[in-house]
Amino acid sequence: EPEVTQTPSHQVTQMGQEVILRCVPISNHLYFYWYRQILGQKVEFLVSFYNNEISEKSEIFDDQFSVERPDGSNFTLKIRSTKLEDSAMYFCASSGGLAGGTDTQYFGPGTRLTVL
Amino acid sequence: GDSVTQMEGPVTLSEEAFLTINCTYTATGYPSLFWYVQYPGEGLQLLLKATKADDKGSNKGFEATYRKETTSFHLEKGSVQVSDSAVYFCALSGGGSYIPTFGRGTSLIVHP
């Protein structure tokens, strides 16, 4: 069964450093998303991406964040200058394949980001 | 705005016990409703969904019925197993947006 993959599974970085989290969505999907989950808290939407541009973003997704689909398979989230409060699990998701509706999102296993 | 309220956890059960995790929602229109499960150390997996009133979603022995009159989507399983120990998230999407709104999650711990 096709699945969303994410790398790395765990990223440790120093405060102020840039990080890039990578995702490979399901191949025929058209919509891509990033979410984060701070330890013990709810899953929060960050951004959605369709047709090579951001379609929605939350207030969390400020100028420190950017997303890109650099080629036909990868979808990346960049945090320009990490802060301690960016420590969280980051989930990528995709939706909108030929068989499924755009309202069902399939999530990757997550990247745990630890900012020291 | 849209919101989802789940019962607080953790829910602790013995194996083969009956499970109910309550979920109620507030939304305009007719949202789609979901249950996601997060096993320890893993990402979110779609467990089941329902897209209209009175629909019942079911998977792996879990089921939930979309009740518009009570704005609820309670998750049930007749006989839980230790392997069901996980965090369960209720979610909805609708109103022209496909971005799900998640509840806070309910941790389920099943003892042998």
Side-chain angles (χ1 to χ4, degrees):
Chain A
E1 187 177 329
E3 58 183 17
V4 177
T5 60
Q6 291 184 242
T7 54
S9 57
H10 191 190
Q11 173 90 48
V12 181
T13 190
Q14 295 291 325
M15 190 170 55
Q17 294 296 304
E18 174 183 286
V19 294
I20 297 176
L21 309 183
R22 302 180 191 280
C23 169
V24 179
I26 293 173
S27 64
N28 63 347
H29 281 184
L30 303 174
Y31 300 81
F32 314 112
Y33 312 83
W34 283 102
Y35 295 82
R36 78 172 185 192
Q37 183 184 25
I38 295 171
L39 187 63
Q41 298 187 26
K42 63 167 49 178
V43 176
E44 300 172 294
F45 167 71
L46 293 178
V47 65
S48 64
F49 193 85
Y50 171 70
N51 200 25
N52 280 320
E53 60 184 28
I54 291 173
S55 48
E56 280 188 68
K57 62 181 181 178
S58 72
E59 58 190 24
I60 302 169
F61 194 86
D62 60 22
D63 292 344
Q64 294 294 323
F65 292 91
S66 62
V67 289
E68 192 178 31
R69 189 154 162 81
D71 53 44
S73 59
N74 290 284
F75 179 52
T76 62
L77 174 69
K78 182 193 292 186
I79 307 175
R80 215 176 317 278
S81 176
T82 50
K83 304 188 283 289
L84 294 176
E85 54 265 38
D86 293 327
S87 296
M89 182 75 92
Y90 288 81
F91 293 107
C92 173
S94 69
S95 69
L98 295 176
T102 52
D103 64 339
T104 301
Q105 298 186 18
Y106 296 86
F107 284 75
T111 293
R112 178 165 298 286
L113 176 65
T114 301
V115 182
L116 302 176
Chain B
D2 295 351
S3 67
V4 175
T5 303
Q6 290 181 236
M7 61 189 291
E8 295 240 355
V11 173
T12 304
L13 295 172
S14 297
E15 207 165 24
E16 299 183 3
F18 184 86
L19 168 72
T20 300
I21 300 178
N22 290 339
C23 171
T24 56
Y25 67 90
T26 303
T28 53
Y30 302 93
S32 295
L33 302 174
F34 307 86
W35 277 100
Y36 282 86
V37 58
Q38 185 180 27
Y39 296 104
E42 299 184 17
L44 295 165
Q45 299 176 28
L46 179 65
L47 181 59
L48 54 84
K49 70 173 187 175
T51 57
K52 61 183 189 295
D54 300 324
D55 266 4
K56 178 185 283 187
S58 60
N59 186 25
K60 299 182 182 179
F62 291 90
E63 58 183 35
T65 302
Y66 190 143
R67 300 281 188 207
K68 188 158 178 62
E69 64 277 11
T70 54
T71 61
S72 64
F73 193 55
H74 304 322
L75 182 69
E76 296 181 336
K77 186 174 185 182
S79 176
V80 293
Q81 305 300 311
V82 172
S83 56
D84 294 326
S85 298
V87 180
Y88 292 82
F89 291 91
C90 186
L92 68 82
S93 69
S97 171
Y98 298 116
I99 308 304
T101 298
F102 287 90
R104 289 192 164 273
T106 302
S107 175
L108 170 65
I109 301 169
V110 181
H111 293 295

